[in-house]
Amino acid sequence: MSDTLLISKWALARRNELVDIPDKLEIHPDFLQDITHEEFENAFRDIGGMFYQIYSDMAKDPQRFGLPLYKADEYDYFSDQAREVRRAPWQPFYFMLCLFACGHFKGNEFITDTGEVRKINKAKKTNLLLETLCDYGFVFGGIQKYNLSSGDSLAIDYPDNPNILTVLSAVAKKVKNTQLAGVKNYYSNQTAFSNAFIGWNYKVLAEDPHTCGLAEGCDYVSDKMHDAADREAIEALDHILIEQGAVRKKGDPNEGPSVRYYCGKTSAYDYALTSDMGSLYLELRIRNAQKCLDYLSKCPERIVEMFRYSDAGCQNRRNGTCRSGVKYIFEQEEKWHCGCCGAPFRIHPTAEDITHYIKLMELGGKK
């Protein structure tokens, strides 16, 4: 029996959702009242490195963070335990957001209202989380045995670089007052994928503390990509589809954010750009693959391979009730693509192949 823990896989998947920090940051002047641009930028980068390390350590030693220790081979994908584990790696970061959104500086000391934290925090085992955060340079005072209910206020210090507290507070307050305003479920996938604090998205700094336009377009996915070519492909296809009149909506599968494009009146999306455990996929809802086959002679091999591949088949196909699969004959063999949980064709997209994707949808997008 395997001892692999579900949480380890999902901690690394959530680490992949941290946004890469570029060489130069645009920071709104309102964030620089008591700190220089260089100090703010340096602290922001240091926090990004800290978050990356926390996710990495979480994967190696989840017990240290009080996270669920379910074994991978004992629970299926749809179990309550698997659902819990997929969200669990976000808990320490939501807790940090609560700590710094509910506090203020009193002189050189950062003071957090523990009552306010308890009202909005949903992370479990906060005493263990506080104790663990000490390993990353934080120092806490004002409470006993890391118990938030033992005092009215929590004093937070970061002796190695006090600017860390300034930046954490600035980003936490902005996210709470903008992205999370009116949100009831902080832990929903869509809310988490958009959240600039737990994704440590540098773009949150460009607008003033009361304005946030993040994750409203294709950046909902493109910001999570770590390859410039992937970001280029997302932005190029998004531009073309929106120009053609497609309606863009967010999707929130467990594996990562998705932007979906609806080109007609049906309830099913036609295209989707999806981050699956950090890897980018384009989904194409080709309904009649047979009509696409002649065109494949004009396509690069990577697109031909998408048609050459065949699924083993879903449970619905095996019991004869599948209505979403696509069956066709290619190279003298019957092929099958399941369409129950997503569009039946998937490929890692490139900007240079966009004209082919659109032509294939024109040919095979309708039955």
Side-chain angles (χ1 to χ4, degrees), residues 121-157:
N121 170 62
K122 295 181 181 179
K124 301 175 182 178
K125 300 181 181 179
T126 57
N127 58 330
L128 187 56
L129 290 178
L130 285 171
E131 187 173 3
T132 301
L133 286 173
C134 293
D135 297 335
Y136 298 92
F138 293 95
V139 175
F140 301 105
I143 60 174
Q144 298 178 359
K145 296 181 179 180
Y146 303 105
N147 185 350
L148 285 175
S149 62
S150 67
D152 294 332
S153 62
L154 172 69
I156 307 177
D157 194 10

Side-chain angles (χ1 to χ4, degrees), residues 113-355:
D113 185 318
T114 57
E116 289 300 312
V117 171
R118 295 200 306 276
K119 284 181 183 178
I120 64 172
N121 170 62
K122 295 181 181 179
K124 301 175 182 178
K125 300 181 181 179
T126 57
N127 58 330
L128 187 56
L129 290 178
L130 285 171
E131 187 173 3
T132 301
L133 286 173
C134 293
D135 297 335
Y136 298 92
F138 293 95
V139 175
F140 301 105
I143 60 174
Q144 298 178 359
K145 296 181 179 180
Y146 303 105
N147 185 350
L148 285 175
S149 62
S150 67
D152 294 332
S153 62
L154 172 69
I156 307 177
D157 194 10
Y158 199 91
D160 290 345
N161 183 1
N163 293 329
I164 294 288
L165 305 179
T166 301
V167 175
L168 284 169
S169 175
V171 177
K173 285 182 170 64
K174 174 165 181 175
V175 169
K176 180 177 180 292
N177 294 332
T178 56
Q179 290 188 308
L180 298 181
V183 173
K184 293 182 179 180
N185 183 7
Y186 283 12
Y187 287 89
S188 73
N189 286 356
Q190 193 171 120
T191 300
F193 296 147
S194 302
N195 188 303
F197 187 92
I198 64 172
W200 207 239
N201 193 336
Y202 68 95
K203 291 182 179 179
V204 76
L205 307 175
E207 298 171 299
D208 69 73
H210 309 289
T211 306
C212 191
L214 289 183
E216 295 303 320
C218 66
D219 59 330
Y220 178 60
V221 174
S222 63
D223 282 353
K224 305 298 186 182
M225 295 296 104
H226 305 296
D227 189 305
D230 286 346
R231 293 192 290 269
E232 178 188 357
I234 291 170
E235 291 162 10
L237 182 57
D238 177 86
H239 178 75
I240 291 171
L241 293 177
I242 295 302
E243 271 202 337
Q244 291 180 351
V247 175
R248 182 206 303 121
K249 297 181 181 180
K250 292 180 182 178
D252 56 0
N254 296 309
E255 289 73 18
S258 176
V259 281
R260 297 167 176 179
Y261 300 86
Y262 298 76
C263 301
K265 296 181 180 180
T266 65
S267 59
Y269 58 85
D270 295 282
Y271 300 81
L273 288 159
T274 301
S275 174
D276 188 334
M277 307 293 285
S279 297
L280 177 65
Y281 289 97
L282 169 65
E283 299 179 53
L284 301 169
R285 197 170 296 280
I286 294 171
R287 296 172 171 86
N288 192 332
Q290 207 70 42
K291 292 183 178 180
C292 299
L293 301 185
D294 289 343
Y295 180 75
L296 294 182
S297 62
K298 301 177 182 179
C299 297
E301 182 63 21
R302 55 184 171 267
I303 291 181
V304 177
E305 190 60 34
M306 178 174 62
F307 284 81
R308 187 173 288 127
Y309 170 78
S310 185
D311 291 338
C314 63
Q315 179 65 36
N316 291 337
R317 186 192 183 195
R318 289 191 287 273
N319 64 30
T321 62
C322 185
R323 298 180 180 179
S324 303
V326 174
K327 182 170 65 175
Y328 58 100
I329 303 297
F330 182 50
E331 296 176 340
Q332 291 80 52
E333 292 183 358
E334 182 179 283
K335 306 292 183 181
W336 175 272
H337 283 226
C338 181
C340 295
C341 297
F345 287 81
R346 296 206 329 168
I347 192 170
H348 178 226
T350 64
E352 62 189 289
D353 288 347
I354 287 176
T355 54

